[in-house]
Amino acid sequence: MDPTPKDWRLRVRLADSPGTLARVAIRLADRDCNVLALSVIPVPGGVIDELVVRTAPGVLPADLVEEVRAEGGRCVGITAADVRDLVDAPTAALRAAAGALRDPGGLCEALRAVLGADSVVVRPHATDVLPDTPTGGHEVHLVAGNGVAVVARRGWAPFTGVELARARALVDLLDRTGAAAPRPTALLTGDGVALVLRPGGAGDEAAVAELRGRCSMRTLFDRCHSGVRTVPRRWLHRLLEPPRGTTVLAQCADRVVALGQLIRTATPDTAEVSLLVEDAWQGRGVGTALLAELARTARAAGYRELVGWCPPAETALVRTAHRAGLDVAVRREDGLRRVSITPAGVPPEPGEGVAHNGAPLPSTAGSPEAASRSANRPIPGNSGCDLRHGPALEPLPNHLPAAKLEGR
């Protein structure tokens, strides 16, 4: 039996009579449970009480539900809680809005914080989404004034009208400031070349075909175990708009120089990650920038693990994840190195290969590490990309997020 106390977030509906909530609290206290937070959410026909409860060792979620039912209540939903659930909803909403205004690409993470959603994804080209449409209470569609649709999902409890109103207000605020639309991320390499990370789309088929044409046979073979440069147009379309994932492109001027993908797997909270970087751009931080961007997307989408596959002796992906401030675990599986990346990482600490506050560090792009190569196993149904890695990035304090990349 796990002796560690657990925190749980419950939503309960109790009879509208004096003392009912107090009796539930007494029952929980009899089980050595501590109510850490309480909030009241208005809903049609009454209210829902939300409690954050720290249980004693050995007390299960079913025990909490039993105590609620013993007082004639109904448990609407229960899920594991963390310290963020101890912050009151208005404060959480203000913090989320401030974060999204600082980072124009943080809309999904902000909405996930406000709604307590399992996942939030942007559909910039959606044409089949009605504004503010709930689906069975567990899914809601929010549409900004620029036509960008945001889809939020939560399995443990249906969304309430109060939560949707807060989310609508946040979207309206960000829409007025121009932060609701997906925004590109500006980067700067150590030799002063500007790059932009942006979502891929069907209109990028020709640019991605040219990217493949510029890649060496070694890079293409590492990517898909084939040296074929030309692929059918339908493959390019699937590459850019995968039905179960997201594609991010790195662009210099009018040329796409790298591509990264995040593909959902059969495990709900796990996605596979893959990258393809043009030979001339390898070792200059592009792989790290793409991985950091995909990790941010993964956090908002509710993924807890990103998986990459490499040959047994390959360590480049591990180093890249560390440079991006992401935690990594490695094990051997099916004769390959399985690299598990936790997307909820922290910004990289000051160190070698990272430029801080826009001040460049000495470039070592010609070092042996910068010339390293890595391969990753193809993603089923998606022809996985090989991973070309460089150092970490640090956003600069501009309205359009920028970063300084230095090769190692």
Side-chain angles (χ1 to χ4, degrees), residues 15-405:
D16 186 15
S17 60
T20 303
L21 182 58
R23 290 193 296 272
V24 171
I26 292 173
R27 284 183 171 273
L28 295 176
D30 289 340
R31 286 185 175 267
D32 291 330
C33 298
N34 187 20
V35 178
L36 302 179
L38 169 66
S39 58
V40 180
I41 305 172
V43 295
V47 297
I48 288 177
D49 296 303
E50 180 175 288
L51 299 89
V52 178
V53 178
R54 175 160 295 171
T55 62
V59 177
L60 302 176
D63 299 327
L64 303 180
V65 175
E66 179 183 344
E67 299 298 346
V68 171
R69 290 176 175 171
E71 292 297 335
R74 179 170 65 91
C75 185
V76 177
I78 183 169
T79 189
D82 60 30
V83 67
R84 290 173 296 181
D85 296 324
L86 300 179
V87 178
D88 63 277
T91 300
L94 289 172
R95 287 181 177 175
L101 289 172
R102 287 193 304 268
D103 178 7
L107 169 63
C108 289
E109 289 190 79
L111 280 174
R112 190 172 182 229
V114 169
L115 291 171
D118 296 329
S119 68
V120 178
V121 295
V122 172
R123 298 175 60 188
H125 307 295
T127 59
D128 57 344
V129 175
L130 297 177
D132 299 3
T133 304
T135 306
H138 293 271
E139 178 177 311
V140 65
H141 300 164
L142 299 168
V143 180
N146 53 17
V148 173
V150 181
V151 181
R153 299 181 179 90
R154 184 173 68 193
W156 70 274
F159 294 110
T160 67
V162 172
E163 291 174 321
L164 297 183
R166 292 189 187 123
R168 178 73 261 172
L170 177 61
V171 171
D172 289 343
L173 171 65
L174 299 180
D175 192 28
R176 289 179 178 274
T177 62
R183 299 287 295 275
T185 300
L187 310 173
L188 194 64
T189 65
D191 51 2
V193 180
L195 289 175
V196 171
L197 301 184
R198 63 174 180 81
D204 297 306
E205 291 178 0
V208 172
E210 292 174 1
L211 165 64
R212 292 181 58 88
R214 294 191 301 271
C215 290
S216 67
M217 300 297 287
R218 167 63 186 274
T219 295
L220 293 174
F221 185 83
D222 286 345
R223 178 188 180 277
C224 55
H225 296 183
S226 171
V228 178
R229 284 195 170 94
T230 304
V231 297
R233 189 178 184 86
R234 66 179 183 278
W235 288 14
L236 293 174
H237 181 80
R238 187 179 181 86
L239 194 67
L240 288 162
E241 294 187 343
R244 297 182 295 110
T246 301
T247 297
V248 177
L249 303 179
Q251 182 171 337
C252 177
D254 60 349
R255 175 177 292 187
V256 172
V257 299
L259 177 149
Q261 280 193 312
L262 201 65
I263 303 298
R264 186 177 73 249
T265 67
T267 305
D269 60 356
T270 301
E272 291 198 45
V273 63
S274 60
L275 309 174
L276 172 67
V277 180
E278 184 180 335
D279 295 57
W281 289 87
Q282 294 169 15
R284 299 169 69 177
V286 180
T288 302
L290 283 173
L291 184 59
E293 183 71 14
L294 291 173
R296 181 171 67 173
T297 301
R299 287 194 296 270
Y303 294 121
R304 298 187 178 183
E305 181 186 37
L306 306 182
V307 176
W309 298 91
C310 304
E314 183 56 68
T315 62
L317 178 56
V318 176
R319 295 196 306 270
T320 299
H322 284 314
R323 292 171 190 145
L326 305 173
D327 294 331
V328 181
V330 181
R331 73 168 185 258
R332 292 287 295 273
E333 186 175 312
D334 298 331
L336 295 173
R337 178 186 289 259
R338 182 185 187 275
V339 181
S340 172
I341 302 171
T342 303
V346 296
E349 294 293 330
E352 183 180 4
V354 183
H356 296 273
N357 299 324
L361 299 182
S363 175
T364 56
S367 66
E369 287 187 4
S372 64
R373 299 291 184 267
S374 63
N376 103 347
R377 187 175 71 175
I379 293 176
N382 189 54
S383 295
C385 306
D386 80 322
L387 295 161
R388 304 302 193 202
H389 313 299
L393 61 88
E394 177 170 331
L396 301 179
N398 296 328
H399 179 66
L400 180 63
K404 193 79 170 180
L405 307 179

